[in-house]
Amino acid sequence: MEPRDAALLRACRRQPVDHTPVWFMRQAGRSLPEYRRLRGDSSVLSAIKDPELAAELTLQPVRRYGVDGAILFSDIVAPLVAIGLPIDIVPGRGPVVEHAFSGAEDLAALRPIDPQADLAPVLATIAILVDELDVPLIGFAGAPFTLASYLVEGGPSRSFGRTKALMHAEPAVWEELTSRLAAIALATLRAEIMAGAGVVQLFDSWAGALSPAEYEAFALPGTRAILEGLSDLGAPRIVFGVGTGELLALMARSGADVIGVDWRVPLCAASRRVGDGFALQGNLDPALCLAGVEVASQAASTVLEEAAGLPGHVFNLGHGVLPETDPGVLGAIVDLVHEHTPGGRET
Ligand code: 1CP
């Protein structure tokens, strides 16, 4: 089992740490040759259903990089697939939905999830991992807005036009859709924590497409239902989205303990926007990891400087590892973060 005083848990709780913890969103992935070898031509969804394989894919980046957290190999759409929605993950594209959600008549397909039955392979993966890991396992789920966007658009989107049209034109349907998605995410995260995940992250990746007023009315209620519904379990809760600079103050009202920040807002500025009482996670631009060790290390040092004096900092990228990233660059960043001595970490 993970040590209870692991740096990741301590930083999330704004307790003093002897090194800044670091992990990378999408750390298990195509940038690792051992990942490409093991995954071969199998689909992401079939890998998620194979506990031995999913556990190994989770462990690979922990072994290679020595990161302070292991993110479960799964996907934000996995719980929706598990309740029978016709979603496929298309290589190079992402989740694609056979019949896009178009109105009240499509709500019935979003039945409640029974994690013990529907997520049996995921829980079996966690059972393997808790025996193997000496760092916390990070469970995760997709936030209602981000998941709804895939269902309504039928796949990845740039403008989120259909999603915004639905939320504004049919607010009652939107509310029902997002509260069903929130119930699924809450049950999923509760089951992951009870199976052994020590930290959870709610991915609201595309929330930055919303104005603050839209976020508050149409995304925050579902997100808050999930995060507040986890409070009795004690696992630190991280919320993250891309392009959320204008939303950070609202995200601080979501029930999260840790606010994930992308690279557009320096952490010291993000800290002022969220106010007291939160740890921050981030926020090296993943594109800079393509510019070589020297550039990436310099940028990582800048992130650490901007985080100096924050009550809790979890080093991460501002979004996921890009597939073309040289693993050597990520390894150098982990070493640099670990060698840095954080100061002023008093609660
Ligand atoms: O180490 C890890 O993080 C791997 C586990 C993981 C995670 C955390 C996968 C497997 N997916 C996710 C989360 C996820 N999935 C998010 C939130 C993180 C983020 O913002 O990047 C999102 C938005 C998705 C949806 C998704 N699945 C996309 C994005 C599509 C878009 O809208 O731009 C994509 C490309 C996928 C496919 C996917 N999921 C995971 C992997 C390894 C892959 C690549 C599939 C392949 O090999 O072709």
Side-chain angles (χ1 to χ4, degrees):
M1 279 295 282
E2 75 214 14
R4 280 198 58 79
D5 63 346
L8 175 59
L9 296 175
R10 295 183 61 82
C12 288
R13 295 185 175 127
R14 295 175 292 123
Q15 294 164 340
V17 286
D18 57 12
H19 69 272
T20 297
V22 48
W23 66 281
F24 302 114
M25 290 183 274
R26 307 298 293 270
Q27 64 193 13
R30 276 184 293 161
S31 70
L32 289 179
E34 60 268 35
Y35 171 92
R36 294 195 297 270
R37 269 197 301 278
L38 194 60
R39 267 277 319 276
D41 292 330
S42 71
S43 76
V44 183
L45 290 173
S46 64
I48 291 169
K49 283 191 213 130
D50 178 343
E52 293 290 339
L53 178 58
E56 181 57 23
L57 293 170
T58 304
L59 290 166
Q60 283 180 342
V62 181
R63 279 193 213 109
R64 180 185 275 253
Y65 301 126
V67 280
D68 297 274
I71 184 155
L72 181 66
F73 188 84
S74 183
D75 192 86
I76 58 168
V77 299
L80 304 181
V81 173
I83 62 162
L85 294 196
I87 302 174
D88 194 13
I89 294 185
V90 176
R93 188 154 174 236
V96 173
V97 186
E98 205 177 293
H99 300 289
F101 181 96
S102 62
E105 66 281 8
D106 295 325
L107 284 168
L110 281 153
R111 66 158 172 90
I113 196 162
D114 171 0
Q116 298 308 321
D118 298 323
L119 297 178
V122 174
L123 301 181
T125 304
I126 297 176
I128 298 171
L129 286 167
V130 291
D131 287 338
E132 298 269 330
L133 282 168
D134 57 4
V135 294
L137 177 66
I138 304 163
F140 69 93
F145 168 73
T146 290
L147 281 179
S149 79
Y150 287 107
L151 296 181
V152 175
E153 306 290 338
S157 171
R158 279 178 186 275
S159 64
F160 302 93
R162 286 168 53 99
T163 312
K164 290 191 186 185
L166 178 76
M167 66 170 63
H168 285 281
E170 295 194 70
V173 173
W174 176 261
E175 216 226 283
E176 185 60 26
L177 168 61
T178 50
S179 48
R180 287 181 186 225
L181 291 170
I184 291 166
L186 175 57
T188 298
L189 292 174
R190 287 190 70 85
E192 289 182 0
I193 294 168
M194 287 187 285
V199 179
V200 287
Q201 176 154 321
L202 191 62
F203 282 100
D204 207 353
S205 299
W206 314 130
L210 298 173
S211 71
E214 287 173 322
Y215 181 79
E216 186 169 17
F218 299 116
L220 186 57
T223 291
R224 192 188 282 153
I226 298 163
L227 294 173
E228 287 182 349
L230 298 170
S231 57
D232 59 310
L233 298 179
R237 298 153 291 180
I238 309 169
V239 68
F240 167 78
V242 182
T244 56
E246 297 300 325
L247 306 179
L248 290 172
L250 290 166
M251 291 168 77
R253 287 168 33 200
S254 65
D257 306 290
V258 184
I259 313 290
V261 182
D262 83 2
W263 60 93
R264 294 172 179 88
V265 184
L267 290 178
C268 40
S271 172
R272 290 192 291 274
R273 293 183 194 184
V274 302
D276 291 338
F278 300 93
L280 295 183
Q281 175 173 277
N283 66 346
L284 178 64
D285 184 344
L288 296 187
C289 296
L290 307 183
V293 174
E294 211 167 302
V295 171
S297 299
Q298 185 57 49
S301 297
T302 302
V303 169
L304 290 169
E305 278 162 31
E306 288 168 349
L310 295 185
H313 176 217
V314 177
F315 191 101
N316 206 315
L317 304 182
H319 197 191
V321 173
L322 297 168
E324 53 275 50
T325 304
D326 172 359
V329 172
L330 296 181
I333 291 171
V334 171
D335 293 345
L336 182 147
V337 174
H338 282 167
E339 282 156 20
H340 167 84
T341 308
R345 285 288 134 76
E346 299 306 314
T347 36

